[in-house]
Each structure stands twice: as structure tokens, then as C-alpha cells.
Amino acid sequence: ERVALVQKHQDAVESKRNFLAFICHELRNPLNGICGMGELLLDTGLDEEQDEYAHFIHANAKSMLHIVNDVLDFSRVESN
């Protein structure tokens, strides 16, 4: 019975890790796209207001990307 409980726990940890890895991957790709397009946008001739908006979008996308990477790193550490 104890072996079965340990196995259930290990399976749950593995499922959680796989889920987090999948979700992080699904979030990371679009966020990388937003960051990249934001950088391209910032290199164009924007007026002051547009430049402010583009910097805001780019900075927030990078912040979200860091959060996603931190969650993924945490899930890797936790599973080891």
C-alpha cells in the first residue's frame, strides 16, 4: 500500500511538471513573438506617444516571459 501511495505521488509530481512545461511552452512562444515584434516596432519612426506604448508593450511582454521562465525553472527544481 505504501509503495502504491509513493507511486501515486510520483505520478502526480510528473503530471504537474509536464503540465507546467507544456503551459510555459505555450505561453513562451507568443511572448517571444510579442517581444520580437515590439523590438522591431521600436526601431520604426514612431511619434512620442506611440513610442511610449511600444515600450510599455515590450517591457511587459519581457516581464511576463521572465515570470514564465521562473515558473518553469521552479517546476524543474521541484521535480528533482
Side-chain angles (χ1 to χ4, degrees), residues 1-15:
E1 187 173 314
R2 179 163 166 68
V3 173
L5 287 175
V6 169
Q7 185 61 45
K8 269 181 113 170
H9 174 71
Q10 289 173 340
D11 291 345
V13 168
E14 181 68 16
S15 293

Side-chain angles (χ1 to χ4, degrees), residues 32-77:
N32 277 321
I34 294 168
C35 288
M37 293 304 290
E39 288 176 17
L40 291 174
L41 182 61
L42 289 168
D43 288 338
T44 64
L46 302 173
D47 66 33
E48 188 177 326
E49 184 178 18
Q50 292 169 328
D51 189 68
E52 183 181 332
Y53 294 154
H55 273 94
F56 181 82
I57 291 167
H58 184 256
N60 282 286
K62 287 185 79 77
S63 293
M64 286 295 300
L65 191 55
H66 286 294
I67 291 168
V68 168
N69 286 332
D70 288 348
V71 167
L72 186 56
D73 290 344
F74 179 75
S75 71
R76 286 182 183 148
V77 168

